[in-house]
């Protein structure tokens, strides 16, 4: 959240502590809502993987985007990066306990989508076929 928005929130009567919480919630939702984050977390749910294996298992992600996503997840404490002193060097990524709790939550969301996918698709078709003026 930029300082202008934070100032507006505080000026509206929200305490600075609450404004900081709002900022963290927004940042976290942006991270968790990112499609690559969801795919990385669900892919790592089965155990640690090397970068190349992650890249192979996540269709459509570029190496650069995967690297950025892993760096952000590591910064937030959701993923660990372990470098092994071997030749050739080996680096593995794994979910932390915090990341595992996110994985559990994401799994529930995926199940919800699976349970309601027919309904969602039907609603989209109805909406897309309706008169644009009625939307």
């Amino acid at each position: 959240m930029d300082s202008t928005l934070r100032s507006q929130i505080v000026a509206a009567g929200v305490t600075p502590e609450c404004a900081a919480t709002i900022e963290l919630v927004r940042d976290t939702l942006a991270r968790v809502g990112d499609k690559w984050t969801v795919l990385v977390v669900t892919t790592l749910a089965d155990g640690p993987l090397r970068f190349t294996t992650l890249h192979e298992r996540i269709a459509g992600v570029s190496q650069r985007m995967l690297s950025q996503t892993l760096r952000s997840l590591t910064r937030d404490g959701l993923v660990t990066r372990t470098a092994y002193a071997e030749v050739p060097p080996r680096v593995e990524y794994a979910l932390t306990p915090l990341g595992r709790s996110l994985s559990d939550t994401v799994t529930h969301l995926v199940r919800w989508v699976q349970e309601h996918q027919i309904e969602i698709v039907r609603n989209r078709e109805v909406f897309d076929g309706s008169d644009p003026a009625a939307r």
Side-chain angles (χ1 to χ4, degrees):
M1 177 182 329
D2 64 30
S3 60
T4 305
L5 182 54
R6 185 182 301 167
S7 298
Q8 290 173 344
I9 290 173
V10 171
V14 175
T15 66
E17 296 80 20
C18 285
T21 299
I22 291 168
E23 180 177 11
L24 183 58
V25 168
R26 288 170 53 120
D27 289 348
T28 302
L29 286 175
R31 165 83 47 244
V32 174
D34 174 75
K35 72 177 176 178
W36 301 122
T37 294
V38 170
L39 293 172
V40 167
V41 168
T42 57
T43 303
L44 287 175
D46 292 331
L49 294 172
R50 296 176 76 167
F51 182 91
T52 304
T53 304
L54 267 172
H55 187 251
E56 290 169 355
R57 290 189 184 177
I58 302 174
V61 68
S62 68
Q63 289 185 349
R64 181 174 183 265
M65 184 54 64
L66 180 57
S67 182
Q68 287 177 346
T69 301
L70 287 166
R71 192 173 302 116
S72 296
L73 291 171
T74 301
R75 179 176 180 249
D76 288 343
L78 301 169
V79 167
T80 58
R81 179 186 186 275
T82 305
Y84 295 92
E86 299 175 351
V87 177
R90 178 172 56 109
V91 176
E92 286 185 341
Y93 295 90
L95 293 178
T96 64
L98 184 61
R100 192 149 303 285
S101 70
L102 174 60
S103 173
D104 294 342
T105 301
V106 169
T107 299
H108 289 298
L109 178 60
V110 169
R111 279 194 207 120
W112 180 88
V113 171
Q114 289 171 334
E115 291 170 9
H116 298 282
Q117 66 186 12
I118 292 171
E119 203 175 342
I120 293 168
V121 169
R122 187 178 328 116
N123 288 331
R124 287 180 176 182
E125 290 170 350
V126 168
F127 182 89
D128 292 346
S130 68
D131 179 16
R135 295 182 204 158

